[in-house]
Amino acid sequence: MAVGPAQASEDGHDHDGVHEFHETMEELGEHTERIVKAINHEDWQWVAKEARAIADHPRPPAEERQRIMAFAGDRRAEFQDYDHAAHQAAADLADVAAMEDGREVIRAFADLQATCLDCHASFREDFRAHFYTGK
């Protein structure tokens, strides 16, 4: 599989053909930060909106997904399980927020954060080493 020219992002790093994935991860982080703010304001509708944006985020283009799955190699199923778990945790958070139960929102948000943390712990360092240059 041929990899096209690398693209530079606003952070100055070269993301070697996974530019959209990187941008999506940045946006997911922004949604997560807004969830924290919304929880602090006890604005459950806002929490639900941001959680739904995480659950329903756009997928990277097919070529990027192929590069990512090639990177994951024999750990592809694990990577996909983490992705599914994060989408499900975000959807669960949106559902709980719609019920306006603050304690359950916080629990569901912790579950979402744990799924993100677990994936990052398993893949982030290798992913960065594989795709990013100029670190």
Side-chain angles (χ1 to χ4, degrees):
M1 169 172 52
V3 176
Q7 298 175 352
S9 74
E10 292 177 7
D11 64 9
H13 289 134
D14 206 353
H15 296 102
D16 196 22
V18 291
H19 181 75
E20 293 297 322
F21 180 81
H22 176 78
E23 292 300 314
T24 297
M25 288 293 111
E26 290 292 320
E27 289 173 16
L28 294 176
E30 292 167 8
H31 289 300
T32 300
E33 290 172 9
R34 288 191 291 268
I35 289 171
V36 171
K37 189 171 184 178
I39 289 171
N40 288 339
H41 288 273
E42 298 178 26
D43 186 335
W44 312 125
Q45 289 181 348
W46 188 12
V47 171
K49 176 185 171 203
E50 297 298 335
R52 184 59 53 204
I54 292 171
D56 298 336
H57 74 78
R59 294 171 52 161
E63 290 177 8
E64 282 192 29
R65 289 194 312 270
Q66 289 173 343
R67 287 183 194 102
I68 293 165
M69 289 302 109
F71 151 77
D74 61 354
R75 297 178 63 203
R76 179 181 181 161
E78 178 186 3
F79 188 86
Q80 289 174 319
D81 287 347
Y82 281 127
D83 182 56
H84 177 74
H87 283 270
Q88 188 60 55
D92 291 347
L93 174 57
D95 292 345
V96 169
M99 296 186 299
E100 301 187 357
D101 182 337
R103 289 194 183 279
E104 285 302 306
V105 165
I106 291 168
R107 184 206 51 75
F109 182 61
D111 289 346
L112 173 60
Q113 288 293 94
T115 63
C116 296
L117 181 64
D118 291 344
C119 184
H120 295 170
S122 293
F123 287 97
R124 182 184 266 170
E125 186 175 325
D126 292 340
F127 190 91
R128 284 180 171 164
H130 183 82
F131 287 109
Y132 298 178
T133 60
K135 292 182 275 186

